[in-house]
Amino acid sequence: MQIILGDITKQEVDAIVNAANTSLLGGSGVDGAIHRAAGSELVHECRLLGGCKIGDAKLTKGYRLPARFIIHTVGPVWRGGDCGEPELLAECYRKSMQIAADKEFESLAFPCISTGIYRYPKALAGEIAVKICSEQIQNNGGPQRVIFCCFDRENYEIYERILSNYS
Ligand code: AR6
């Protein structure tokens, strides 16, 4: 597992993860950036998927992105933490890692799901991201390279602190 500070749409990996909404038809934040960079063919494929539930994940091609594929997942909106948010966020990471393992992807980059417009506290979200990915690597053996792509320095420093506690 590694951390980078940068734009996920620039990552040359087998797949990047999108923090989408249940429509899968695009939005703002990282979702908007991914749709802009991938081009309009992406929304055509997304229309065929019939949306996505919170905590679930769906695969599309990457189109004009350097990444070959996109795993679209829908994080929970933060409502104080007692509405199942931790379990739903964990499911986003688990399902995304499962798809990557099933497809035998070697490299996968995640944004900090739910920590923007959906207001999930960054440190709590980071703990879940690292814990679930670490478990999935141990249980499924893949993908070999998991990149936490932080867009802001605050998230980057949070992940540095969390990852220093993992080997
Ligand atoms: N590369 C990497 N990370 C990014 C990028 C980028 N290009 N742009 C933003 N981030 P958000 P959410 C970070 O709001 O909270 C959309 O409208 C950002 O700094 O994109 O899951 C969807 O359609 C933050 O750390 O996603 C949904 O409606 C992280 O990505 C809703 O927003 C997630 O922020 C999803 O909200």
Side-chain angles (χ1 to χ4, degrees):
M1 294 187 285
Q2 65 184 94
I3 326 161
I4 59 158
L5 182 61
D7 182 349
I8 202 164
T9 66
K10 305 275 194 286
Q11 301 309 310
E12 295 187 12
V13 285
D14 289 324
I16 62 170
V17 176
N18 182 16
N21 58 59
T22 53
S23 79
L24 292 185
L25 299 181
S28 52
V30 70
D31 193 11
I34 288 173
H35 274 267
R36 273 194 303 280
S40 58
E41 279 172 295
L42 173 59
V43 80
H44 294 150
E45 183 175 356
C46 285
R47 276 204 191 94
L48 306 174
L49 298 175
C52 183
K53 294 198 180 113
I54 300 168
D56 204 358
K58 292 192 177 179
L59 183 70
T60 67
K61 289 187 275 189
Y63 297 97
R64 295 185 191 171
L65 290 173
R68 289 164 52 223
F69 293 93
I70 306 166
I71 298 171
H72 304 262
T73 188
V74 184
V77 176
W78 179 256
R79 300 186 197 281
D82 293 329
C83 299
E85 298 94 326
E87 294 77 14
L88 289 166
L89 187 63
E91 270 306 287
C92 291
Y93 283 95
R94 202 173 287 122
K95 291 259 168 64
S96 300
M97 288 290 285
Q98 189 64 56
I99 291 174
D102 290 347
K103 295 284 172 190
E104 300 185 348
F105 295 160
E106 285 179 2
S107 51
L108 178 65
F110 281 99
C112 306
I113 301 166
S114 281
T115 66
I117 292 162
Y118 284 177
R119 303 183 316 271
Y120 206 110
K122 292 176 182 175
L124 297 181
E127 296 279 358
I128 291 173
V130 174
K131 175 173 179 278
I132 300 298
C133 291
S134 157
E135 281 173 8
Q136 292 292 111
I137 290 168
Q138 277 168 20
N139 297 342
N140 295 334
Q144 305 263 314
R145 224 172 117 223
V146 173
I147 299 159
F148 297 108
C149 180
C150 301
F151 204 53
D152 58 279
R153 190 156 287 281
E154 190 189 348
N155 257 319
Y156 184 85
E157 286 170 4
I158 286 169
Y159 274 80
E160 264 191 333
R161 179 178 54 73
I162 296 170
L163 273 176
S164 69
N165 296 323
Y166 282 76
S167 51

